[in-house]
Amino acid sequence: MWPKFYFDWLRKSAPTGSVEVYPEISETFETNLPNVFVIGDLTGVPLLKLACESGVNVWNSIPSRNNERFDVVIIGGGPAGISCALEGKRLGKKYLVLESNVPFQTIQSYPNGKPIFAEPKFYPTKSKLTIQDTTKELLLEDLNEYLKENPINIKTNKRVIQIIRDSIGYLLETESGEKFETNSIVIAIGKSGDPKKLGIPGESSSHVFYRLIDPKDTLGQSVVIVGGGDTALEAAIQCSDYAKEITLVHRGTDFQRAKIENVNQIKRLERDTKIKILYKSQVTEIVPSAVFIKSNEKAVKSKAEMVYVLIGTLPPVGFLERVGIKLQNQKKFIDWLGFGALFSFATTAYFGKSAMYGPGWFSSLATFASAVSAICLIAYGVLYWKAGRIKWSFWKIVKSFYFIFVLSYFLFVYLSSTYFQFQFLGKTPAFHYTFLYSTTILIFGIRRILVRKTEYILYQTLTLIGIQVFFLFLLPEIILPKLGEFGLLGSEDSYIRREIFPGDAYWKAYGLILAWPLNMGVLYDGGITTFWLGYGLLFSFGLIPFLVYRYGKGAYCGWICSCGGLAETLGDEYRQKMPHSQTAYRIEHFGQYILFFAFILTLLKLVGVFGKSIIPILSLGEIFADSTKWIYDLVVDIGLAGVIGVGFYFLYSGRIWCRMFCPLASLMHIYARFSSFRIFSDKKKCISCNICTKNCHQGIDVMGYASRGIPMDSVQCVRCSACVSLCPTDVLRFGTERKGRISYDHLEAIKKES
């Protein structure tokens, strides 16, 4: 094991927060259930203004049907649900709102006097509900007044407990036994489910509360508040005018995810001795009129006539699971079938194209995997069809037919070459694999450009397509062989054919782009030429360090590398699947071991090649390296980079190889430790929505940086720009920091307004 301090040095004290659980929805708000949509807070964006906007926009995806049923039943009467109803009324639709309490109950439950921030400030909304900077009471007054003047079809105190799918649409059943038939459903119940609890003795006591309703209730009381987010800080601030004493217990060292205004105010109250703050502390037990608090230094007993546990709420997972809505990263049998199909295909592709120089069992394994892949794919399609989850769109049709084409095409060229000695177009399976790889980046790259409309993504994707198609397919596989065939590369003694492509080894052109140790053949070569020795050393230890210092690791991983090219195009729709668990954080630097192994093998090889004529015993190192490298090729190049790296695309994101195992990425992690590249954040605008972290397919807790207002300098960052472009409040920007001076990038990564 490497010393712990080495990995700590690489991580640079990076935050390792997890992501919240939300329903898995498409870009049109649709869940896995056809014509069941989710809007509002449950989309993961805790902004009232955007919640209202989602209530309007969802109508673009709701189909029109001519029958006696409701067009839509809207579950939830908050800002999102009411906005949806008002838009349905404007469109002349048959709709109904079912609210389990009263309209705007979520806002009603806010603490009295709670400030309301209408973010994003300059976002134009199409919703009839107007959200402005104000307080809870004034906002409720405005919303209820508008609803009174513009009545909608709403039934209050109607809690939906079941959603049953029938041959036409859905049947909803309420707690009171009423049933409603509808063609479509919009769920707008918010994410405030059950409160998170501490799990300690005494937590069920009558003086323990999980929500502050009225700060005046704390008049003359000794109050303990547990939490470090905006809710806890705002509660402490509001109660400070009434409570006799307030103790705020926070397990962190600072308030990382609270708004800067709240942090400044809470610290001012601390200086004025109105609030006592205990950092790095936890409540361990609650007893009548007191709590026990443990910190790193000591354990104390603090007076507590009222205890508020304000550490967040859990999404309404129980209801969502009960009605059959899939949660993000939730794995079901059909998902494992899809994984089996892709994983088996990746096994066929990588072992199949390697069979031409590998042992005989490569072909047997590839053939067996091809059968498994076909069976899994057929079973997946049948189950998908029976589940009624197919709702065709142009892109889904293109994508589905393309996947079938890729599977069929490669199986044909592999099986015909292996068992019938027929090489399609006179090319080996390796050629056809590279062709399919390049075609995939081209097709999914075009899709990415059309969907992610930023200048940054346009140029980045075009660069990735250009490098892959020209430098990593056309040049080594078609152009150079043809030039050699026509004698345009000179005689056998010419520099090009002697130094760059000795023995007409045109495959070495891959090394012009794929650096050591991603491409071990750049330096690990028994007949290495002066050109490749110099180029390989300069590329991996000169040019790449310079790029990483100036622009971050993503200058290569996100703009040049073929692995990154596939991840940013084919993997674009699946970036949210990257694990953010503590286990994932523990193994994300496993590539450091592979880098070390690659370095030792290459060093032994080069020392043997150049030193054995001087010191014959050095040949033993070369012999050891050569006898060991097959293990490296099998485990790393074929197993991890190929089978695992591609096979896990739709299950755990397209960056598993890049994040966990790639030795070149691991080398760049060391370089990135000294990089001037940063992602800067405007903490005042951060709403801690977690969208940036959720969409990072390198597993970085971007929100952990942004909510604290500190520059993001994680060595894992590949500059994909997802966090920047998807941030609803435009908090993040690319830039560099040198000697305390900040410079922002000119290439715009924020999404263009349509």
Side-chain angles (χ1 to χ4, degrees):
M1 293 293 293
W2 296 116
K4 181 178 180 297
F5 76 84
Y6 175 66
F7 288 121
D8 291 342
W9 177 77
L10 280 177
R11 288 192 177 98
K12 306 173 75 169
S13 302
T16 54
S18 58
V19 295
E20 295 179 340
V21 178
Y22 292 102
E24 188 173 280
I25 60 175
S26 69
E27 294 179 354
T28 59
F29 304 101
E30 191 172 22
T31 68
N32 59 296
L33 300 178
N35 300 322
V36 176
F37 304 87
V38 168
I39 61 174
D41 271 5
L42 270 183
T43 63
V45 184
L47 290 173
L48 291 176
K49 187 181 287 188
L50 294 184
C52 294
E53 185 74 355
S54 68
V56 175
N57 292 335
V58 71
W59 281 100
N60 296 327
S61 307
I62 298 174
S64 297
R65 294 182 181 176
N66 187 18
N67 55 35
E68 298 301 316
R69 297 186 171 205
F70 288 108
D71 292 314
V72 169
V73 169
I74 303 164
I75 304 175
I82 299 298
S83 178
C84 184
L86 290 169
E87 181 67 9
K89 179 180 179 181
R90 186 187 73 82
L91 295 172
K93 302 291 184 179
K94 292 181 293 182
Y95 70 91
L96 171 67
V97 179
L98 298 178
E99 164 57 45
S100 63
N101 205 298
V102 296
F104 310 116
Q105 172 60 30
T106 300
I107 298 177
Q108 181 71 52
S109 65
Y110 288 167
N112 293 342
K114 175 181 171 63
I116 303 297
F117 301 101
E119 298 287 352
K121 292 294 184 186
F122 305 105
Y123 184 84
T125 176
K126 298 187 287 288
S127 174
K128 299 296 182 182
L129 296 181
T130 302
I131 307 295
Q132 297 177 335
D133 287 349
T134 181
T135 61
K136 160 198 166 178
E137 289 78 9
L138 292 177
L139 177 62
L140 271 177
E141 184 179 331
D142 290 343
L143 294 178
N144 285 318
E145 182 64 26
Y146 186 87
L147 198 57
K148 182 179 179 181
E149 296 174 357
N150 300 273
I152 58 173
N153 186 17
I154 182 172
K155 291 181 179 290
T156 57
N157 298 306
K158 302 293 181 184
R159 181 182 298 276
V160 175
I161 59 172
Q162 191 58 270
I163 296 175
I164 303 170
R165 188 177 178 189
D166 57 26
S167 58
I168 301 175
Y170 294 92
L171 178 69
L172 284 79
E173 183 178 347
T174 67
E175 208 169 39
S176 60
E178 292 180 273
K179 297 181 179 179
F180 302 90
E181 294 182 335
T182 181
N183 295 316
S184 300
I185 298 172
V186 172
I187 299 175
I189 57 178
K191 67 176 183 179
S192 298
D194 295 329
K196 292 181 180 178
K197 296 187 177 182
L198 297 171
I200 60 174
E203 199 170 9
S204 59
S205 302
S206 59
H207 66 297
V208 179
F209 308 94
Y210 296 93
R211 178 176 291 171
L212 174 67
I213 300 300
D214 192 342
K216 293 179 182 178
D217 293 339
T218 64
L219 182 65
Q221 302 288 304
S222 296
V223 178
V224 169
I225 298 175
V226 183
D230 282 316
T231 302
L233 267 61
E234 288 171 1
I237 292 168
Q238 291 173 308
C239 293
S240 64
D241 291 331
Y242 305 99
K244 180 172 65 176
E245 58 180 345
I246 297 176
T247 302
L248 181 62
V249 182
H250 178 39
R251 65 181 180 180
T253 56
D254 57 14
F255 301 107
Q256 298 179 0
R257 298 188 174 182
K259 294 185 181 69
I260 189 65
E261 296 89 349
N262 289 331
V263 175
N264 290 339
Q265 193 167 352
I266 205 78
K267 289 185 175 180
R268 184 167 57 250
L269 290 170
E270 182 186 28
R271 289 193 298 270
D272 295 341
T273 67
K274 290 188 175 183
I275 293 177
K276 180 181 180 181
I277 303 176
L278 299 179
Y279 296 99
K280 295 190 290 186
S281 302
Q282 298 182 57
V283 175
T284 57
E285 185 179 357
I286 301 173
V287 296
S289 301
V291 297
F292 289 93
I293 302 171
K294 181 182 179 181
S295 66
N296 293 339
E297 294 80 23
K298 58 182 179 179
V300 298
K301 183 179 181 181
S302 178
K303 187 175 182 181
E305 296 167 306
M306 300 180 76
V307 179
Y308 287 93
V309 180
L310 305 176
I311 56 176
T313 57
L314 299 169
V317 172
F319 171 76
L320 297 172
E321 289 183 327
R322 187 168 64 251
V323 301
I325 291 177
K326 186 179 179 183
L327 303 178
Q328 288 174 347
N329 294 333
Q330 185 183 58
K331 306 297 186 296
K332 296 187 175 181
F333 178 70
I334 193 170
D335 299 300
W336 290 109
L337 264 182
F339 166 70
L342 181 60
F343 189 83
S344 300
F345 173 72
T347 303
T348 300
Y350 280 88
F351 279 94
K353 74 186 185 75
S354 302
M356 57 184 291
Y357 59 82
W361 64 269
F362 275 25
S363 294
S364 300
L365 177 60
T367 302
F368 173 76
S370 68
V372 174
S373 180
I375 292 171
C376 287
L377 185 62
I378 293 171
Y380 178 84
V382 170
L383 288 181
Y384 201 90
W385 183 275
K386 283 188 174 181
R389 293 169 62 178
I390 297 180
K391 186 173 182 180
W392 293 111
S393 65
F394 175 74
W395 172 241
K396 282 187 177 180
I397 293 173
V398 171
K399 184 168 62 172
S400 299
F401 277 97
Y402 180 73
F403 288 154
I404 295 172
F405 161 75
V406 168
L407 176 65
S408 305
Y409 182 99
F410 190 81
L411 289 184
F412 167 72
V413 298
Y414 164 68
L415 294 174
S416 63
S417 173
T418 303
Y419 295 102
F420 300 100
Q421 288 72 52
F422 170 71
Q423 292 191 338
F424 183 54
L425 301 179
K427 300 292 186 179
T428 66
F431 170 90
H432 296 287
Y433 173 83
T434 307
F435 163 71
L436 292 173
Y437 196 102
S438 303
T439 305
T440 301
I441 288 179
L442 174 63
I443 292 175
F444 285 82
I446 293 172
R447 179 258 174 200
R448 185 185 188 223
I449 290 172
L450 294 176
V451 172
R452 315 290 186 192
K453 298 178 180 179
T454 73
E455 270 190 309
Y456 184 92
I457 286 176
L458 171 64
Y459 292 118
Q460 181 201 32
T461 310
L462 288 176
T463 302
L464 288 169
I465 292 173
I467 289 175
Q468 176 62 44
V469 172
F470 182 78
F471 288 101
L472 297 176
F473 175 58
L474 294 178
L475 186 65
E477 299 291 346
I478 297 177
I479 295 175
L480 287 173
K482 285 297 181 183
L483 291 177
E485 181 182 333
F486 295 145
L488 299 178
L489 296 179
S491 65
E492 292 184 6
D493 293 330
S494 65
Y495 184 82
I496 292 178
R497 295 182 65 185
R498 186 183 73 252
E499 285 286 329
I500 304 178
F501 308 115
D504 294 337
Y506 302 120
W507 55 267
K508 283 184 171 290
Y510 287 104
L512 297 173
I513 299 297
L514 304 180
W516 179 94
L518 177 62
N519 181 358
M520 284 283 282
V522 174
L523 291 176
Y524 191 97
D525 187 348
I528 192 167
T529 63
T530 304
F531 171 83
W532 283 110
L533 179 63
Y535 181 85
L537 293 174
L538 179 64
F539 195 8
S540 295
F541 302 102
L543 178 60
I544 289 180
F546 172 76
L547 289 175
V548 173
Y549 172 74
R550 289 290 303 272
Y551 308 107
K553 182 183 107 179
Y556 184 88
C557 282
W559 282 73
I560 298 173
C561 181
S562 61
C563 306
L566 196 67
E568 295 303 334
T569 53
L570 175 63
D572 181 63
E573 296 177 83
Y574 309 96
R575 60 180 65 249
Q576 293 184 359
K577 294 181 179 293
M578 174 59 76
H580 287 74
S581 65
Q582 293 303 313
T583 300
Y585 288 124
R586 281 194 294 270
I587 67 174
E588 68 178 2
H589 290 304
F590 187 83
Q592 294 293 326
Y593 297 104
I594 298 176
L595 172 62
F596 179 74
F597 192 33
F599 176 78
I600 294 299
L601 286 179
T602 305
L603 181 64
L604 290 174
K605 181 68 172 180
L606 291 178
V607 169
V609 169
F610 292 104
K612 62 186 176 184
S613 60
I614 304 172
I615 306 176
I617 198 173
L618 293 178
S619 62
L620 293 177
E622 183 181 9
I623 293 171
F624 172 81
D626 288 341
S627 63
T628 307
K629 188 172 181 293
W630 71 272
I631 301 176
Y632 182 93
D633 293 339
L634 177 62
V635 174
V636 179
D637 289 346
I638 299 176
L640 295 175
V643 178
I644 299 295
V646 175
F648 276 66
Y649 254 66
F650 305 145
L651 194 74
Y652 289 125
S653 159
R655 287 279 186 182
I656 287 291
W657 158 252
C658 306
R659 178 187 178 189
M660 307 289 188
F661 308 115
C662 177
L664 179 56
S666 298
L667 178 62
M668 288 190 286
H669 290 167
I670 300 172
Y671 299 154
R673 189 62 178 79
F674 307 97
S675 176
S676 62
F677 168 73
R678 303 286 187 272
I679 298 181
F680 297 98
S681 61
D682 183 351
K683 181 179 178 179
K684 290 186 290 186
K685 295 169 64 177
C686 180
I687 57 173
S688 299
C689 63
N690 215 230
I691 287 178
C692 53
T693 295
K694 182 171 65 176
N695 283 280
C696 179
H697 56 176
Q698 284 292 112
I700 303 170
D701 180 17
V702 184
M703 190 184 82
Y705 289 96
S707 59
R708 287 184 288 172
I710 61 176
M712 200 289 293
D713 59 353
S714 171
V715 298
Q716 288 283 358
C717 181
V718 292
R719 288 185 69 114
C720 68
S721 82
C723 60
V724 179
S725 63
L726 294 174
C727 176
T729 52
D730 295 337
V731 168
L732 305 169
R733 290 186 69 181
F734 284 154
T736 57
E737 184 177 33
R738 299 189 187 97
K739 298 180 180 179
R741 297 180 61 183
I742 296 174
S743 300
Y744 295 110
D745 285 7
H746 296 294
L747 189 57
E748 190 60 75
I750 297 173
K751 191 169 184 178
K752 300 175 183 176
E753 295 294 335
S754 56

